[in-house]
Amino acid sequence: MSVDVGLFGPDSVTWKLHEEPILLLGGLRSLYLQALHPRAVAGVAQNSGYRADPWGRLNRTSEYVGTVIYGSTEEVERAASRIRRLHSRMTATDPRTGETFRIDDPDLLRWVHVAEVESFLTTATRAGLKLTPDEVDRYYTEQLKSAELVGLDPATVPATAAEVDAYYEAMQPELSLTKESAETAFFLTVPPAPDFFGNRALRLGLTLGPARWAYFGIAGTAIALLPPWARRLYGGLGWRTTDVTADLSVRGMRLLLATALNTLPRKYRTAPMRQAALTRAGLTDA
């Protein structure tokens, strides 16, 4: 009887990369990057309730990504079908031209996909994960499966590091800092504190206390990890010193996360979706 390990499996670069908890920071970096596409950010702003429920939306997005990476074939297709149906019903208005466009426009889906997978990869490797150039290209090629799930033709999606670089180069003239981009970036940097069971005192502490300043450091690192051209669009500087500082910061965060996880009992060190996938494959987390 064959084992259903989903789209990728234990021998994939995808499983190796997504084992890294630092990819949470990569997800935040991707949101800053995606927001520089005027239509992509308009589509989110006009269709999403992220301002009213940012932590719920983040949790749903994380669950979808986790399902694609670690879910069974049936679980993956069910989640992807739901996303495709949702996107197919959505439209938005370009604030610059007044033109109405579909959320499932391939150009927008491609931008979101590339920004996400490149952010995951870049964040992990700059944090210290060792991947060979071949493994980097294999990750991008493996992620064509994720692109196809949302309705993209894999032949139109960058599949190597060189193709991603060329894609970014071609896209830069279309990117800019719009009003919605700036508002989204500010929201990502200063989000409301989560409301834990209506506990106003705890929420106030998270808003004004050390946790808020710690989050500022995380958000600042995510911005610093952006490509120099993206930082310049946000009004920052593309200096090499910023890249060096970002590398030191993200490496420190990865080490801190590893140290914290090592203090937990073994059964809590692995995300439940990954553990379920390892169990299906007849493996244990090494």
Side-chain angles (χ1 to χ4, degrees):
M1 181 177 178
S2 61
V3 176
D4 184 355
V5 293
L7 296 185
F8 304 106
D11 295 328
S12 67
V13 180
T14 293
W15 273 31
K16 178 179 180 179
L17 186 79
H18 284 262
E19 183 181 9
E20 293 287 322
I22 199 64
L23 260 63
L24 291 171
L25 181 64
L28 181 59
R29 177 195 188 268
S30 76
L31 295 178
Y32 281 111
L33 189 55
Q34 290 165 7
L36 289 172
H37 191 298
R39 285 200 170 189
V41 73
V44 172
Q46 295 172 34
N47 285 279
S48 170
Y50 78 93
R51 291 183 184 275
D53 183 25
W55 302 105
R57 184 175 188 274
L58 176 63
N59 184 61
R60 291 188 293 274
T61 300
S62 298
E63 285 185 357
Y64 174 75
V65 172
T67 299
V68 170
I69 301 303
Y70 293 118
S72 67
T73 303
E74 180 182 354
E75 290 169 338
V76 171
E77 184 48 47
R78 187 165 57 243
S81 178
R82 186 166 57 248
I83 289 295
R84 290 194 302 270
R85 288 197 305 270
L86 183 65
H87 286 170
S88 71
R89 298 193 294 265
M90 291 182 176
T91 61
T93 302
D94 190 324
R96 304 163 301 172
T97 66
E99 181 183 358
T100 298
F101 61 90
R102 293 174 59 98
I103 296 302
D104 60 1
D105 180 292
D107 289 341
L108 299 185
L109 295 177
R110 188 179 305 107
W111 170 252
V112 171
H113 169 81
V114 175
E116 180 177 82
V117 298
E118 183 272 325
S119 288
F120 285 151
L121 179 66
T122 295
T123 300
T125 54
R126 291 179 67 176
L129 179 66
K130 302 298 184 184
L131 294 179
T132 66
D134 178 64
E135 286 178 315
V136 168
D137 284 346
R138 279 174 53 201
Y139 176 70
Y140 283 128
T141 302
E142 289 171 2
Q143 287 303 308
L144 294 180
K145 298 176 183 178
S146 300
E148 189 171 15
L149 287 175
V150 297
L152 285 166
D153 177 354
T156 69
V157 180
T160 65
E163 290 179 3
V164 169
D165 288 344
Y167 173 75
Y168 277 161
E169 185 70 26
M171 285 296 297
Q172 287 179 44
E174 299 183 31
L175 307 178
S176 64
L177 183 67
T178 64
K179 178 176 180 291
E180 287 174 325
S181 301
E183 289 175 348
T184 298
F186 180 79
F187 188 85
L188 291 171
T189 307
V190 193
D195 186 2
F196 291 108
F197 311 109
N199 190 324
R200 296 181 64 185
L202 178 56
R203 184 169 186 174
L204 182 63
L206 290 171
T207 300
L208 302 176
R212 171 64 74 185
W213 295 105
Y215 180 79
F216 282 154
I218 293 170
T221 300
I223 294 171
L225 285 169
L226 291 171
W229 53 263
R231 297 200 303 268
R232 286 192 288 268
L233 285 174
Y234 273 120
L237 299 173
W239 290 349
R240 174 59 185 160
T241 51
T242 302
D243 293 321
V244 173
T245 302
D247 288 348
L248 291 173
S249 179
V250 73
R251 284 172 182 265
M253 288 181 184
R254 182 177 182 238
L255 179 60
L256 184 63
L257 280 170
T259 301
L261 286 172
N262 283 336
T263 66
L264 298 176
R266 187 175 183 81
K267 64 179 180 179
Y268 296 121
R269 296 178 195 172
T270 303
M273 285 187 183
R274 178 180 173 85
Q275 188 58 62
L278 289 167
T279 300
R280 289 199 312 273
L283 303 171
T284 57
D285 197 23

